Amino acid sequence: HVQLVESGGGSVQTGGSLKLSCRYSGITFRGGCMGWFRRLRGDKREGVASLDDDGKIMYRDSVKGRFTISKDNTKNTLYLQMNNLKPEDTALYTCAATGRLGGSCQTGAYLQYWGQGTQVTVS
């Protein structure tokens, strides 16, 4: 049974920091990836950061230098450290994963598993 459970969201002021966690279980990675996505107002979803099974990391331009994605395999947890937060970062943040090749953790296409999300509000 696969589960992705996010935590760590909250309300912060502009310039503040938050660290999101995504604890996962039941996934066997064979060339897959994990990523963070956010859903903005108007239901627009966008990829924020991705980490491939081979270690490749990518960020969307607007978060480069401010956000850091990482993974602790001993704890089965994906993280997103978010610094210097801006009001435009306000969104529902969701982690997603696929254990196989073919999915994109940058666009969200063909990903097998999604969490429920954690809200981040920056004012």
Side-chain angles (χ1 to χ4, degrees), residues 13-41:
Q13 293 187 334
T14 298
S17 297
L18 285 172
K19 187 173 185 177
L20 306 184
S21 298
C22 172
R23 183 165 177 82
Y24 60 91
S25 60
I27 302 175
T28 299
F29 289 96
R30 295 191 180 95
C33 61
M34 295 194 74
W36 286 99
F37 297 81
R38 62 189 183 187
R39 189 172 294 276
L40 310 178
R41 288 189 299 271

mmCIF file with all atom_site columns, all heavy atoms in Angstrom, residues 13-41:
data_model
loop_
_atom_site.group_PDB
_atom_site.id
_atom_site.type_symbol
_atom_site.label_atom_id
_atom_site.label_alt_id
_atom_site.label_comp_id
_atom_site.label_asym_id
_atom_site.label_entity_id
_atom_site.label_seq_id
_atom_site.pdbx_PDB_ins_code
_atom_site.Cartn_x
_atom_site.Cartn_y
_atom_site.Cartn_z
_atom_site.occupancy
_atom_site.B_iso_or_equiv
_atom_site.pdbx_formal_charge
_atom_site.auth_seq_id
_atom_site.auth_comp_id
_atom_site.auth_asym_id
_atom_site.auth_atom_id
_atom_site.pdbx_PDB_model_num
ATOM 1   N N   . GLN A 1 13 ? 5.639  35.003 7.269   1.00 0.00 ? 13 GLN A N   1
ATOM 2   C CA  . GLN A 1 13 ? 5.760  36.323 6.658   1.00 0.00 ? 13 GLN A CA  1
ATOM 3   C C   . GLN A 1 13 ? 6.755  36.273 5.517   1.00 0.00 ? 13 GLN A C   1
ATOM 4   O O   . GLN A 1 13 ? 7.601  35.360 5.428   1.00 0.00 ? 13 GLN A O   1
ATOM 5   C CB  . GLN A 1 13 ? 6.199  37.335 7.707   1.00 0.00 ? 13 GLN A CB  1
ATOM 6   C CG  . GLN A 1 13 ? 5.147  37.576 8.785   1.00 0.00 ? 13 GLN A CG  1
ATOM 7   C CD  . GLN A 1 13 ? 5.532  38.697 9.717   1.00 0.00 ? 13 GLN A CD  1
ATOM 8   O OE1 . GLN A 1 13 ? 6.710  38.985 9.903   1.00 0.00 ? 13 GLN A OE1 1
ATOM 9   N NE2 . GLN A 1 13 ? 4.542  39.340 10.317  1.00 0.00 ? 13 GLN A NE2 1
ATOM 10  N N   . THR A 1 14 ? 6.661  37.251 4.659   1.00 0.00 ? 14 THR A N   1
ATOM 11  C CA  . THR A 1 14 ? 7.603  37.373 3.540   1.00 0.00 ? 14 THR A CA  1
ATOM 12  C C   . THR A 1 14 ? 9.030  37.346 4.071   1.00 0.00 ? 14 THR A C   1
ATOM 13  O O   . THR A 1 14 ? 9.354  38.035 5.045   1.00 0.00 ? 14 THR A O   1
ATOM 14  C CB  . THR A 1 14 ? 7.344  38.678 2.785   1.00 0.00 ? 14 THR A CB  1
ATOM 15  O OG1 . THR A 1 14 ? 6.021  38.642 2.243   1.00 0.00 ? 14 THR A OG1 1
ATOM 16  C CG2 . THR A 1 14 ? 8.338  38.850 1.650   1.00 0.00 ? 14 THR A CG2 1
ATOM 17  N N   . GLY A 1 15 ? 9.854  36.530 3.426   1.00 0.00 ? 15 GLY A N   1
ATOM 18  C CA  . GLY A 1 15 ? 11.246 36.384 3.850   1.00 0.00 ? 15 GLY A CA  1
ATOM 19  C C   . GLY A 1 15 ? 11.480 35.236 4.809   1.00 0.00 ? 15 GLY A C   1
ATOM 20  O O   . GLY A 1 15 ? 12.629 34.902 5.115   1.00 0.00 ? 15 GLY A O   1
ATOM 21  N N   . GLY A 1 16 ? 10.407 34.629 5.277   1.00 0.00 ? 16 GLY A N   1
ATOM 22  C CA  . GLY A 1 16 ? 10.517 33.537 6.217   1.00 0.00 ? 16 GLY A CA  1
ATOM 23  C C   . GLY A 1 16 ? 10.864 32.215 5.547   1.00 0.00 ? 16 GLY A C   1
ATOM 24  O O   . GLY A 1 16 ? 11.039 32.142 4.324   1.00 0.00 ? 16 GLY A O   1
ATOM 25  N N   . SER A 1 17 ? 10.946 31.177 6.363   1.00 0.00 ? 17 SER A N   1
ATOM 26  C CA  . SER A 1 17 ? 11.331 29.848 5.879   1.00 0.00 ? 17 SER A CA  1
ATOM 27  C C   . SER A 1 17 ? 10.369 28.780 6.388   1.00 0.00 ? 17 SER A C   1
ATOM 28  O O   . SER A 1 17 ? 9.783  28.933 7.472   1.00 0.00 ? 17 SER A O   1
ATOM 29  C CB  . SER A 1 17 ? 12.745 29.501 6.356   1.00 0.00 ? 17 SER A CB  1
ATOM 30  O OG  . SER A 1 17 ? 13.703 30.387 5.835   1.00 0.00 ? 17 SER A OG  1
ATOM 31  N N   . LEU A 1 18 ? 10.251 27.742 5.608   1.00 0.00 ? 18 LEU A N   1
ATOM 32  C CA  . LEU A 1 18 ? 9.513  26.546 6.001   1.00 0.00 ? 18 LEU A CA  1
ATOM 33  C C   . LEU A 1 18 ? 10.229 25.337 5.426   1.00 0.00 ? 18 LEU A C   1
ATOM 34  O O   . LEU A 1 18 ? 10.851 25.436 4.366   1.00 0.00 ? 18 LEU A O   1
ATOM 35  C CB  . LEU A 1 18 ? 8.076  26.567 5.477   1.00 0.00 ? 18 LEU A CB  1
ATOM 36  C CG  . LEU A 1 18 ? 7.065  27.474 6.165   1.00 0.00 ? 18 LEU A CG  1
ATOM 37  C CD1 . LEU A 1 18 ? 5.755  27.490 5.376   1.00 0.00 ? 18 LEU A CD1 1
ATOM 38  C CD2 . LEU A 1 18 ? 6.816  27.048 7.596   1.00 0.00 ? 18 LEU A CD2 1
ATOM 39  N N   . LYS A 1 19 ? 10.093 24.202 6.095   1.00 0.00 ? 19 LYS A N   1
ATOM 40  C CA  . LYS A 1 19 ? 10.633 22.950 5.561   1.00 0.00 ? 19 LYS A CA  1
ATOM 41  C C   . LYS A 1 19 ? 9.504  21.949 5.474   1.00 0.00 ? 19 LYS A C   1
ATOM 42  O O   . LYS A 1 19 ? 8.919  21.549 6.485   1.00 0.00 ? 19 LYS A O   1
ATOM 43  C CB  . LYS A 1 19 ? 11.758 22.416 6.444   1.00 0.00 ? 19 LYS A CB  1
ATOM 44  C CG  . LYS A 1 19 ? 12.454 21.212 5.838   1.00 0.00 ? 19 LYS A CG  1
ATOM 45  C CD  . LYS A 1 19 ? 13.672 20.792 6.648   1.00 0.00 ? 19 LYS A CD  1
ATOM 46  C CE  . LYS A 1 19 ? 14.426 19.660 5.974   1.00 0.00 ? 19 LYS A CE  1
ATOM 47  N NZ  . LYS A 1 19 ? 15.661 19.297 6.718   1.00 0.00 ? 19 LYS A NZ  1
ATOM 48  N N   . LEU A 1 20 ? 9.192  21.568 4.250   1.00 0.00 ? 20 LEU A N   1
ATOM 49  C CA  . LEU A 1 20 ? 8.158  20.577 4.017   1.00 0.00 ? 20 LEU A CA  1
ATOM 50  C C   . LEU A 1 20 ? 8.765  19.176 4.038   1.00 0.00 ? 20 LEU A C   1
ATOM 51  O O   . LEU A 1 20 ? 9.899  18.971 3.597   1.00 0.00 ? 20 LEU A O   1
ATOM 52  C CB  . LEU A 1 20 ? 7.478  20.813 2.680   1.00 0.00 ? 20 LEU A CB  1
ATOM 53  C CG  . LEU A 1 20 ? 6.895  22.207 2.435   1.00 0.00 ? 20 LEU A CG  1
ATOM 54  C CD1 . LEU A 1 20 ? 6.177  22.239 1.092   1.00 0.00 ? 20 LEU A CD1 1
ATOM 55  C CD2 . LEU A 1 20 ? 5.993  22.633 3.556   1.00 0.00 ? 20 LEU A CD2 1
ATOM 56  N N   . SER A 1 21 ? 7.972  18.225 4.524   1.00 0.00 ? 21 SER A N   1
ATOM 57  C CA  . SER A 1 21 ? 8.384  16.830 4.525   1.00 0.00 ? 21 SER A CA  1
ATOM 58  C C   . SER A 1 21 ? 7.317  16.001 3.830   1.00 0.00 ? 21 SER A C   1
ATOM 59  O O   . SER A 1 21 ? 6.130  16.301 3.918   1.00 0.00 ? 21 SER A O   1
ATOM 60  C CB  . SER A 1 21 ? 8.559  16.324 5.959   1.00 0.00 ? 21 SER A CB  1
ATOM 61  O OG  . SER A 1 21 ? 9.563  17.034 6.644   1.00 0.00 ? 21 SER A OG  1
ATOM 62  N N   . CYS A 1 22 ? 7.767  14.969 3.163   1.00 0.00 ? 22 CYS A N   1
ATOM 63  C CA  . CYS A 1 22 ? 6.855  14.026 2.518   1.00 0.00 ? 22 CYS A CA  1
ATOM 64  C C   . CYS A 1 22 ? 7.341  12.613 2.879   1.00 0.00 ? 22 CYS A C   1
ATOM 65  O O   . CYS A 1 22 ? 8.336  12.146 2.332   1.00 0.00 ? 22 CYS A O   1
ATOM 66  C CB  . CYS A 1 22 ? 6.843  14.224 1.016   1.00 0.00 ? 22 CYS A CB  1
ATOM 67  S SG  . CYS A 1 22 ? 5.917  12.950 0.111   1.00 0.00 ? 22 CYS A SG  1
ATOM 68  N N   . ARG A 1 23 ? 6.650  12.007 3.799   1.00 0.00 ? 23 ARG A N   1
ATOM 69  C CA  . ARG A 1 23 ? 7.023  10.658 4.200   1.00 0.00 ? 23 ARG A CA  1
ATOM 70  C C   . ARG A 1 23 ? 6.324  9.674  3.276   1.00 0.00 ? 23 ARG A C   1
ATOM 71  O O   . ARG A 1 23 ? 5.091  9.734  3.114   1.00 0.00 ? 23 ARG A O   1
ATOM 72  C CB  . ARG A 1 23 ? 6.648  10.408 5.648   1.00 0.00 ? 23 ARG A CB  1
ATOM 73  C CG  . ARG A 1 23 ? 7.077  9.036  6.151   1.00 0.00 ? 23 ARG A CG  1
ATOM 74  C CD  . ARG A 1 23 ? 7.032  8.952  7.659   1.00 0.00 ? 23 ARG A CD  1
ATOM 75  N NE  . ARG A 1 23 ? 7.369  7.611  8.114   1.00 0.00 ? 23 ARG A NE  1
ATOM 76  C CZ  . ARG A 1 23 ? 8.608  7.167  8.246   1.00 0.00 ? 23 ARG A CZ  1
ATOM 77  N NH1 . ARG A 1 23 ? 9.615  7.941  7.964   1.00 0.00 ? 23 ARG A NH1 1
ATOM 78  N NH2 . ARG A 1 23 ? 8.827  5.935  8.674   1.00 0.00 ? 23 ARG A NH2 1
ATOM 79  N N   . TYR A 1 24 ? 7.081  8.786  2.677   1.00 0.00 ? 24 TYR A N   1
ATOM 80  C CA  . TYR A 1 24 ? 6.504  7.848  1.723   1.00 0.00 ? 24 TYR A CA  1
ATOM 81  C C   . TYR A 1 24 ? 6.709  6.409  2.169   1.00 0.00 ? 24 TYR A C   1
ATOM 82  O O   . TYR A 1 24 ? 7.630  6.109  2.933   1.00 0.00 ? 24 TYR A O   1
ATOM 83  C CB  . TYR A 1 24 ? 7.089  8.061  0.316   1.00 0.00 ? 24 TYR A CB  1
ATOM 84  C CG  . TYR A 1 24 ? 8.582  7.890  0.225   1.00 0.00 ? 24 TYR A CG  1
ATOM 85  C CD1 . TYR A 1 24 ? 9.153  6.664  -0.067  1.00 0.00 ? 24 TYR A CD1 1
ATOM 86  C CD2 . TYR A 1 24 ? 9.434  8.979  0.422   1.00 0.00 ? 24 TYR A CD2 1
ATOM 87  C CE1 . TYR A 1 24 ? 10.530 6.518  -0.160  1.00 0.00 ? 24 TYR A CE1 1
ATOM 88  C CE2 . TYR A 1 24 ? 10.807 8.833  0.334   1.00 0.00 ? 24 TYR A CE2 1
ATOM 89  C CZ  . TYR A 1 24 ? 11.351 7.603  0.040   1.00 0.00 ? 24 TYR A CZ  1
ATOM 90  O OH  . TYR A 1 24 ? 12.715 7.448  -0.030  1.00 0.00 ? 24 TYR A OH  1
ATOM 91  N N   . SER A 1 25 ? 5.841  5.546  1.696   1.00 0.00 ? 25 SER A N   1
ATOM 92  C CA  . SER A 1 25 ? 5.952  4.126  2.008   1.00 0.00 ? 25 SER A CA  1
ATOM 93  C C   . SER A 1 25 ? 5.381  3.326  0.853   1.00 0.00 ? 25 SER A C   1
ATOM 94  O O   . SER A 1 25 ? 4.517  3.798  0.109   1.00 0.00 ? 25 SER A O   1
ATOM 95  C CB  . SER A 1 25 ? 5.210  3.801  3.307   1.00 0.00 ? 25 SER A CB  1
ATOM 96  O OG  . SER A 1 25 ? 3.843  4.131  3.198   1.00 0.00 ? 25 SER A OG  1
ATOM 97  N N   . GLY A 1 26 ? 5.881  2.113  0.708   1.00 0.00 ? 26 GLY A N   1
ATOM 98  C CA  . GLY A 1 26 ? 5.349  1.200  -0.290  1.00 0.00 ? 26 GLY A CA  1
ATOM 99  C C   . GLY A 1 26 ? 5.837  1.418  -1.711  1.00 0.00 ? 26 GLY A C   1
ATOM 100 O O   . GLY A 1 26 ? 5.302  0.824  -2.651  1.00 0.00 ? 26 GLY A O   1
ATOM 101 N N   . ILE A 1 27 ? 6.837  2.282  -1.894  1.00 0.00 ? 27 ILE A N   1
ATOM 102 C CA  . ILE A 1 27 ? 7.343  2.562  -3.247  1.00 0.00 ? 27 ILE A CA  1
ATOM 103 C C   . ILE A 1 27 ? 8.705  1.909  -3.423  1.00 0.00 ? 27 ILE A C   1
ATOM 104 O O   . ILE A 1 27 ? 9.586  2.094  -2.587  1.00 0.00 ? 27 ILE A O   1
ATOM 105 C CB  . ILE A 1 27 ? 7.474  4.070  -3.496  1.00 0.00 ? 27 ILE A CB  1
ATOM 106 C CG1 . ILE A 1 27 ? 6.133  4.770  -3.301  1.00 0.00 ? 27 ILE A CG1 1
ATOM 107 C CG2 . ILE A 1 27 ? 7.994  4.320  -4.913  1.00 0.00 ? 27 ILE A CG2 1
ATOM 108 C CD1 . ILE A 1 27 ? 6.218  6.288  -3.418  1.00 0.00 ? 27 ILE A CD1 1
ATOM 109 N N   . THR A 1 28 ? 8.872  1.198  -4.515  1.00 0.00 ? 28 THR A N   1
ATOM 110 C CA  . THR A 1 28 ? 10.174 0.666  -4.917  1.00 0.00 ? 28 THR A CA  1
ATOM 111 C C   . THR A 1 28 ? 10.637 1.466  -6.125  1.00 0.00 ? 28 THR A C   1
ATOM 112 O O   . THR A 1 28 ? 9.950  1.517  -7.140  1.00 0.00 ? 28 THR A O   1
ATOM 113 C CB  . THR A 1 28 ? 10.082 -0.819 -5.282  1.00 0.00 ? 28 THR A CB  1
ATOM 114 O OG1 . THR A 1 28 ? 9.635  -1.550 -4.139  1.00 0.00 ? 28 THR A OG1 1
ATOM 115 C CG2 . THR A 1 28 ? 11.451 -1.337 -5.711  1.00 0.00 ? 28 THR A CG2 1
ATOM 116 N N   . PHE A 1 29 ? 11.772 2.094  -5.999  1.00 0.00 ? 29 PHE A N   1
ATOM 117 C CA  . PHE A 1 29 ? 12.269 2.966  -7.070  1.00 0.00 ? 29 PHE A CA  1
ATOM 118 C C   . PHE A 1 29 ? 13.193 2.197  -8.002  1.00 0.00 ? 29 PHE A C   1
ATOM 119 O O   . PHE A 1 29 ? 14.206 1.659  -7.576  1.00 0.00 ? 29 PHE A O   1
ATOM 120 C CB  . PHE A 1 29 ? 12.998 4.173  -6.494  1.00 0.00 ? 29 PHE A CB  1
ATOM 121 C CG  . PHE A 1 29 ? 12.082 5.153  -5.830  1.00 0.00 ? 29 PHE A CG  1
ATOM 122 C CD1 . PHE A 1 29 ? 11.876 5.109  -4.463  1.00 0.00 ? 29 PHE A CD1 1
ATOM 123 C CD2 . PHE A 1 29 ? 11.413 6.116  -6.573  1.00 0.00 ? 29 PHE A CD2 1
ATOM 124 C CE1 . PHE A 1 29 ? 11.028 6.004  -3.848  1.00 0.00 ? 29 PHE A CE1 1
ATOM 125 C CE2 . PHE A 1 29 ? 10.557 7.008  -5.962  1.00 0.00 ? 29 PHE A CE2 1
ATOM 126 C CZ  . PHE A 1 29 ? 10.356 6.949  -4.596  1.00 0.00 ? 29 PHE A CZ  1
ATOM 127 N N   . ARG A 1 30 ? 12.814 2.153  -9.266  1.00 0.00 ? 30 ARG A N   1
ATOM 128 C CA  . ARG A 1 30 ? 13.656 1.587  -10.319 1.00 0.00 ? 30 ARG A CA  1
ATOM 129 C C   . ARG A 1 30 ? 13.675 2.589  -11.470 1.00 0.00 ? 30 ARG A C   1
ATOM 130 O O   . ARG A 1 30 ? 12.967 2.433  -12.454 1.00 0.00 ? 30 ARG A O   1
ATOM 131 C CB  . ARG A 1 30 ? 13.107 0.243  -10.770 1.00 0.00 ? 30 ARG A CB  1
ATOM 132 C CG  . ARG A 1 30 ? 13.147 -0.838 -9.707  1.00 0.00 ? 30 ARG A CG  1
ATOM 133 C CD  . ARG A 1 30 ? 12.837 -2.200 -10.306 1.00 0.00 ? 30 ARG A CD  1
ATOM 134 N NE  . ARG A 1 30 ? 12.868 -3.249 -9.277  1.00 0.00 ? 30 ARG A NE  1
ATOM 135 C CZ  . ARG A 1 30 ? 11.789 -3.680 -8.633  1.00 0.00 ? 30 ARG A CZ  1
ATOM 136 N NH1 . ARG A 1 30 ? 10.609 -3.140 -8.909  1.00 0.00 ? 30 ARG A NH1 1
ATOM 137 N NH2 . ARG A 1 30 ? 11.872 -4.618 -7.733  1.00 0.00 ? 30 ARG A NH2 1
ATOM 138 N N   . GLY A 1 31 ? 14.448 3.661  -11.287 1.00 0.00 ? 31 GLY A N   1
ATOM 139 C CA  . GLY A 1 31 ? 14.536 4.661  -12.335 1.00 0.00 ? 31 GLY A CA  1
ATOM 140 C C   . GLY A 1 31 ? 13.474 5.735  -12.261 1.00 0.00 ? 31 GLY A C   1
ATOM 141 O O   . GLY A 1 31 ? 13.279 6.471  -13.213 1.00 0.00 ? 31 GLY A O   1
ATOM 142 N N   . GLY A 1 32 ? 12.774 5.813  -11.179 1.00 0.00 ? 32 GLY A N   1
ATOM 143 C CA  . GLY A 1 32 ? 11.709 6.808  -11.062 1.00 0.00 ? 32 GLY A CA  1
ATOM 144 C C   . GLY A 1 32 ? 12.194 8.129  -10.509 1.00 0.00 ? 32 GLY A C   1
ATOM 145 O O   . GLY A 1 32 ? 13.356 8.502  -10.667 1.00 0.00 ? 32 GLY A O   1
ATOM 146 N N   . CYS A 1 33 ? 11.294 8.840  -9.851  1.00 0.00 ? 33 CYS A N   1
ATOM 147 C CA  . CYS A 1 33 ? 11.633 10.154 -9.342  1.00 0.00 ? 33 CYS A CA  1
ATOM 148 C C   . CYS A 1 33 ? 10.628 10.568 -8.289  1.00 0.00 ? 33 CYS A C   1
ATOM 149 O O   . CYS A 1 33 ? 9.563  9.952  -8.137  1.00 0.00 ? 33 CYS A O   1
ATOM 150 C CB  . CYS A 1 33 ? 11.653 11.196 -10.469 1.00 0.00 ? 33 CYS A CB  1
ATOM 151 S SG  . CYS A 1 33 ? 10.063 11.408 -11.311 1.00 0.00 ? 33 CYS A SG  1
ATOM 152 N N   . MET A 1 34 ? 10.959 11.623 -7.577  1.00 0.00 ? 34 MET A N   1
ATOM 153 C CA  . MET A 1 34 ? 10.026 12.275 -6.667  1.00 0.00 ? 34 MET A CA  1
ATOM 154 C C   . MET A 1 34 ? 10.087 13.777 -6.917  1.00 0.00 ? 34 MET A C   1
ATOM 155 O O   . MET A 1 34 ? 11.111 14.305 -7.366  1.00 0.00 ? 34 MET A O   1
ATOM 156 C CB  . MET A 1 34 ? 10.366 11.992 -5.202  1.00 0.00 ? 34 MET A CB  1
ATOM 157 C CG  . MET A 1 34 ? 10.222 10.537 -4.810  1.00 0.00 ? 34 MET A CG  1
ATOM 158 S SD  . MET A 1 34 ? 10.227 10.278 -3.020  1.00 0.00 ? 34 MET A SD  1
ATOM 159 C CE  . MET A 1 34 ? 8.576  10.880 -2.579  1.00 0.00 ? 34 MET A CE  1
ATOM 160 N N   . GLY A 1 35 ? 8.992  14.438 -6.617  1.00 0.00 ? 35 GLY A N   1
ATOM 161 C CA  . GLY A 1 35 ? 8.975  15.872 -6.862  1.00 0.00 ? 35 GLY A CA  1
ATOM 162 C C   . GLY A 1 35 ? 7.960  16.589 -5.992  1.00 0.00 ? 35 GLY A C   1
ATOM 163 O O   . GLY A 1 35 ? 7.076  15.969 -5.388  1.00 0.00 ? 35 GLY A O   1
ATOM 164 N N   . TRP A 1 36 ? 8.121  17.879 -5.927  1.00 0.00 ? 36 TRP A N   1
ATOM 165 C CA  . TRP A 1 36 ? 7.184  18.766 -5.244  1.00 0.00 ? 36 TRP A CA  1
ATOM 166 C C   . TRP A 1 36 ? 6.447  19.600 -6.292  1.00 0.00 ? 36 TRP A C   1
ATOM 167 O O   . TRP A 1 36 ? 7.068  20.136 -7.216  1.00 0.00 ? 36 TRP A O   1
ATOM 168 C CB  . TRP A 1 36 ? 7.915  19.691 -4.275  1.00 0.00 ? 36 TRP A CB  1
ATOM 169 C CG  . TRP A 1 36 ? 8.395  19.006 -3.039  1.00 0.00 ? 36 TRP A CG  1
ATOM 170 C CD1 . TRP A 1 36 ? 9.650  18.544 -2.789  1.00 0.00 ? 36 TRP A CD1 1
ATOM 171 C CD2 . TRP A 1 36 ? 7.625  18.717 -1.870  1.00 0.00 ? 36 TRP A CD2 1
ATOM 172 N NE1 . TRP A 1 36 ? 9.711  17.977 -1.552  1.00 0.00 ? 36 TRP A NE1 1
ATOM 173 C CE2 . TRP A 1 36 ? 8.493  18.082 -0.958  1.00 0.00 ? 36 TRP A CE2 1
ATOM 174 C CE3 . TRP A 1 36 ? 6.298  18.938 -1.495  1.00 0.00 ? 36 TRP A CE3 1
ATOM 175 C CZ2 . TRP A 1 36 ? 8.061  17.657 0.300   1.00 0.00 ? 36 TRP A CZ2 1
ATOM 176 C CZ3 . TRP A 1 36 ? 5.881  18.519 -0.246  1.00 0.00 ? 36 TRP A CZ3 1
ATOM 177 C CH2 . TRP A 1 36 ? 6.755  17.889 0.633   1.00 0.00 ? 36 TRP A CH2 1
ATOM 178 N N   . PHE A 1 37 ? 5.156  19.700 -6.102  1.00 0.00 ? 37 PHE A N   1
ATOM 179 C CA  . PHE A 1 37 ? 4.307  20.499 -6.974  1.00 0.00 ? 37 PHE A CA  1
ATOM 180 C C   . PHE A 1 37 ? 3.501  21.452 -6.121  1.00 0.00 ? 37 PHE A C   1
ATOM 181 O O   . PHE A 1 37 ? 3.335  21.249 -4.924  1.00 0.00 ? 37 PHE A O   1
ATOM 182 C CB  . PHE A 1 37 ? 3.363  19.595 -7.779  1.00 0.00 ? 37 PHE A CB  1
ATOM 183 C CG  . PHE A 1 37 ? 4.087  18.672 -8.708  1.00 0.00 ? 37 PHE A CG  1
ATOM 184 C CD1 . PHE A 1 37 ? 4.656  17.491 -8.253  1.00 0.00 ? 37 PHE A CD1 1
ATOM 185 C CD2 . PHE A 1 37 ? 4.233  18.999 -10.046 1.00 0.00 ? 37 PHE A CD2 1
ATOM 186 C CE1 . PHE A 1 37 ? 5.351  16.649 -9.098  1.00 0.00 ? 37 PHE A CE1 1
ATOM 187 C CE2 . PHE A 1 37 ? 4.919  18.159 -10.910 1.00 0.00 ? 37 PHE A CE2 1
ATOM 188 C CZ  . PHE A 1 37 ? 5.478  16.986 -10.431 1.00 0.00 ? 37 PHE A CZ  1
ATOM 189 N N   . ARG A 1 38 ? 2.995  22.507 -6.740  1.00 0.00 ? 38 ARG A N   1
ATOM 190 C CA  . ARG A 1 38 ? 2.118  23.396 -6.001  1.00 0.00 ? 38 ARG A CA  1
ATOM 191 C C   . ARG A 1 38 ? 0.951  23.806 -6.875  1.00 0.00 ? 38 ARG A C   1
ATOM 192 O O   . ARG A 1 38 ? 1.079  23.934 -8.086  1.00 0.00 ? 38 ARG A O   1
ATOM 193 C CB  . ARG A 1 38 ? 2.882  24.618 -5.496  1.00 0.00 ? 38 ARG A CB  1
ATOM 194 C CG  . ARG A 1 38 ? 3.489  25.519 -6.541  1.00 0.00 ? 38 ARG A CG  1
ATOM 195 C CD  . ARG A 1 38 ? 4.389  26.559 -5.874  1.00 0.00 ? 38 ARG A CD  1
ATOM 196 N NE  . ARG A 1 38 ? 4.945  27.495 -6.830  1.00 0.00 ? 38 ARG A NE  1
ATOM 197 C CZ  . ARG A 1 38 ? 5.865  28.410 -6.530  1.00 0.00 ? 38 ARG A CZ  1
ATOM 198 N NH1 . ARG A 1 38 ? 6.350  28.490 -5.282  1.00 0.00 ? 38 ARG A NH1 1
ATOM 199 N NH2 . ARG A 1 38 ? 6.308  29.230 -7.458  1.00 0.00 ? 38 ARG A NH2 1
ATOM 200 N N   . ARG A 1 39 ? -0.163 23.973 -6.204  1.00 0.00 ? 39 ARG A N   1
ATOM 201 C CA  . ARG A 1 39 ? -1.377 24.386 -6.912  1.00 0.00 ? 39 ARG A CA  1
ATOM 202 C C   . ARG A 1 39 ? -1.711 25.788 -6.455  1.00 0.00 ? 39 ARG A C   1
ATOM 203 O O   . ARG A 1 39 ? -1.989 26.040 -5.288  1.00 0.00 ? 39 ARG A O   1
ATOM 204 C CB  . ARG A 1 39 ? -2.520 23.434 -6.614  1.00 0.00 ? 39 ARG A CB  1
ATOM 205 C CG  . ARG A 1 39 ? -3.754 23.670 -7.470  1.00 0.00 ? 39 ARG A CG  1
ATOM 206 C CD  . ARG A 1 39 ? -4.777 22.583 -7.261  1.00 0.00 ? 39 ARG A CD  1
ATOM 207 N NE  . ARG A 1 39 ? -4.296 21.289 -7.740  1.00 0.00 ? 39 ARG A NE  1
ATOM 208 C CZ  . ARG A 1 39 ? -4.373 20.882 -8.992  1.00 0.00 ? 39 ARG A CZ  1
ATOM 209 N NH1 . ARG A 1 39 ? -4.901 21.669 -9.908  1.00 0.00 ? 39 ARG A NH1 1
ATOM 210 N NH2 . ARG A 1 39 ? -3.948 19.685 -9.335  1.00 0.00 ? 39 ARG A NH2 1
ATOM 211 N N   . LEU A 1 40 ? -1.652 26.693 -7.401  1.00 0.00 ? 40 LEU A N   1
ATOM 212 C CA  . LEU A 1 40 ? -1.882 28.095 -7.114  1.00 0.00 ? 40 LEU A CA  1
ATOM 213 C C   . LEU A 1 40 ? -3.370 28.414 -7.198  1.00 0.00 ? 40 LEU A C   1
ATOM 214 O O   . LEU A 1 40 ? -4.186 27.546 -7.510  1.00 0.00 ? 40 LEU A O   1
ATOM 215 C CB  . LEU A 1 40 ? -1.089 28.948 -8.094  1.00 0.00 ? 40 LEU A CB  1
ATOM 216 C CG  . LEU A 1 40 ? 0.401  28.592 -8.240  1.00 0.00 ? 40 LEU A CG  1
ATOM 217 C CD1 . LEU A 1 40 ? 1.050  29.482 -9.278  1.00 0.00 ? 40 LEU A CD1 1
ATOM 218 C CD2 . LEU A 1 40 ? 1.105  28.692 -6.918  1.00 0.00 ? 40 LEU A CD2 1
ATOM 219 N N   . ARG A 1 41 ? -3.707 29.646 -6.940  1.00 0.00 ? 41 ARG A N   1
ATOM 220 C CA  . ARG A 1 41 ? -5.103 30.082 -7.107  1.00 0.00 ? 41 ARG A CA  1
ATOM 221 C C   . ARG A 1 41 ? -5.520 29.832 -8.539  1.00 0.00 ? 41 ARG A C   1
ATOM 222 O O   . ARG A 1 41 ? -4.747 29.980 -9.464  1.00 0.00 ? 41 ARG A O   1
ATOM 223 C CB  . ARG A 1 41 ? -5.223 31.558 -6.763  1.00 0.00 ? 41 ARG A CB  1
ATOM 224 C CG  . ARG A 1 41 ? -5.105 31.835 -5.272  1.00 0.00 ? 41 ARG A CG  1
ATOM 225 C CD  . ARG A 1 41 ? -5.451 33.292 -5.008  1.00 0.00 ? 41 ARG A CD  1
ATOM 226 N NE  . ARG A 1 41 ? -4.537 34.177 -5.696  1.00 0.00 ? 41 ARG A NE  1
ATOM 227 C CZ  . ARG A 1 41 ? -3.408 34.616 -5.188  1.00 0.00 ? 41 ARG A CZ  1
ATOM 228 N NH1 . ARG A 1 41 ? -3.043 34.219 -3.989  1.00 0.00 ? 41 ARG A NH1 1
ATOM 229 N NH2 . ARG A 1 41 ? -2.633 35.430 -5.864  1.00 0.00 ? 41 ARG A NH2 1
#
